Amino acid sequence: MLIIHDGPRTRNPNNDLDLAHLTAKFSLIDTDKRHNLWGHPQRNLGIELASGEYIIHFNIDNYLEPSALEILNHYLNAEKCDGIVFPIRQHVGNQVSILRGYPPVHCGIDCLQMCASTKAWRSIGGWHNYEESSDGWLYMELHAKFNIKPILEVLGDNYISERL
């Protein structure tokens, strides 16, 4: 697991992240400067540095169900595909809705909702679009070029702050 922080850290990561419970091997990386581009340069760096077969992107406001990785592994093996798109719950204030993620559309999918092969990501040039909602554009590109399968299980949550 790669955890990439946007810019030099000004405080201890344990103040922001609860890393004590992690059993997986992880690397915590800080970029040399702060980009303020919604984490997209960090996602691209993660694609470049990834050594695993599949990639899932997260923001600090994302959460995966405890069984999500096992479910994704099952579908990736059963479907023999390049990736999986899955629904998540989107929380905005007290409102909860389901963000289906399929078909991937601009402004209708969150970065959390696709698990795609490292090979597929690298073949499209990584996270090459740094627009605010580039996840939609990039996920549509992956879907058009690769065998990306949808599943119906809700595997995570996205918590959107109402603060500006």
Side-chain angles (χ1 to χ4, degrees), residues 48-136:
E48 291 174 14
L49 297 175
S51 60
E53 192 173 349
Y54 292 95
I55 295 173
I56 303 175
H57 295 280
F58 288 85
N59 290 325
I60 197 73
D61 62 355
N62 294 148
Y63 169 82
L64 274 180
E65 295 294 331
S67 61
L69 295 179
E70 290 83 12
I71 291 169
L72 289 169
N73 188 53
H74 165 77
Y75 280 108
L76 288 165
N77 288 323
E79 298 289 337
K80 304 293 185 213
C81 57
D82 300 302
I84 300 290
V85 175
F86 55 92
I88 60 171
R89 287 174 291 275
Q90 188 169 58
H91 303 261
V92 181
N94 293 329
Q95 301 294 317
V96 179
S97 59
I98 301 295
L99 196 56
R100 298 278 168 216
Y102 188 83
V105 294
H106 182 248
C107 294
I109 192 165
D110 184 73
C111 71
L112 171 65
Q113 289 184 262
M114 183 179 287
C115 175
S117 73
T118 304
K119 181 180 174 181
W121 273 110
R122 289 179 178 158
S123 76
I124 67 164
W127 200 286
H128 59 83
N129 182 330
Y130 289 1
E131 293 176 46
E132 181 178 5
S133 57
S134 63
D135 40 10

Side-chain angles (χ1 to χ4, degrees), residues 1-3 5 15 35 39-40 43 50 66 75 83 93 100 105 107 117 127 137 147 153 159:
M1 178 178 1
L2 299 173
I3 301 171
H5 179 263
N15 295 339
H35 295 277
H40 302 327
R43 289 187 231 294
Y75 280 108
R100 298 278 168 216
V105 294
C107 294
S117 73
W127 200 286
W137 296 119
N147 184 16
E153 287 95 337
Y159 295 88

Side-chain angles (χ1 to χ4, degrees), residues 10-26:
T10 58
R11 48 190 222 203
N12 186 324
N14 291 326
N15 295 339
D16 298 319
L17 302 170
D18 181 13
L19 302 175
H21 71 284
L22 286 180
T23 57
K25 182 179 173 187
F26 68 93

